[in-house]
Amino acid sequence: LQGGAGHLVEDNRLDNNLYIGISVNGDNALVRRNRVYDTGGYPGGFNSFGIYSHADMIDNTVAGVFATATDAGSEGIYAAGIGTEIRGNQVRGLAVTGLGLVHGINIGVIDVTVRNNSVAATVATAGIGIYGYTASDTICMGNAVSKFATPIQACQDGGGNASQ
């Protein structure tokens, strides 16, 4: 969805998208209770995204995001909306090629709250579990991050985050 306002993307199952599973660009939107599986494989694509959105993203599952280009990475959830909330999501199964990096949840703007998410890898993974825009503009609380080289970076610690 591109432009407009008030979009609701809810209760979908999206399998085998080549580049982005869900993309929403518009004011006052919500991406909720979706399941995004096995996203990637776009020929010549550098990164792949499970969800790329300007919306609040609540209670989604993103699993199996990969890119095929040399030294490419993947993004589970990318937040591009100022003042949005990323809450209760599960992100797992992100893959890289060569020297690429992954971000479980990547914040690209200010004033975002990231809380009660689970970001997990099955093996030690090069990348960042949750990456905030700046430590003063992103608040992270109650998140669990497992097996990322850097669990949480550039987030104001709101308490209750756990990593291993």
Side-chain angles (χ1 to χ4, degrees):
L1 296 171
Q2 182 71 27
H7 302 299
L8 173 61
V9 178
E10 180 178 57
D11 296 326
N12 296 286
R13 179 184 170 125
L14 300 139
D15 291 301
N16 298 305
N17 294 284
L18 291 176
Y19 175 50
I20 299 174
I22 296 173
S23 178
V24 176
N25 180 358
D27 295 331
N28 302 315
L30 175 60
V31 175
R32 178 175 59 197
R33 295 191 314 259
N34 297 285
R35 306 297 176 251
V36 180
Y37 299 113
D38 302 323
T39 301
Y42 178 76
F46 188 71
N47 282 349
S48 295
F49 301 84
I51 301 173
Y52 186 111
S53 183
H54 289 78
D56 291 328
M57 291 169 268
I58 299 172
D59 296 330
N60 299 286
T61 297
V62 175
V65 182
F66 62 96
T68 55
T70 303
D71 298 330
S74 58
E75 309 271 344
I77 293 175
Y78 185 87
I82 295 172
T84 56
E85 180 175 21
I86 315 304
R87 175 172 38 99
N89 300 287
Q90 297 178 11
V91 179
R92 61 183 181 269
L94 306 177
V96 300
T97 60
L99 300 174
L101 295 175
V102 299
H103 295 102
I105 298 174
N106 189 358
I107 312 304
V109 293
I110 61 171
D111 297 331
V112 174
T113 302
V114 183
R115 66 183 170 118
N116 300 331
N117 298 285
S118 173
V119 181
T122 55
V123 297
T125 299
I128 303 168
I130 299 173
Y131 184 73
Y133 186 72
T134 66
S136 63
D137 290 322
T138 304
I139 299 173
C140 293
M141 64 189 103
N143 299 290
V145 180
S146 177
K147 296 188 180 174
F148 279 80
T150 304
I152 299 174
Q153 182 175 332
C155 278
Q156 181 178 346
D157 187 359
N161 294 304
S163 63
Q164 67 169 5

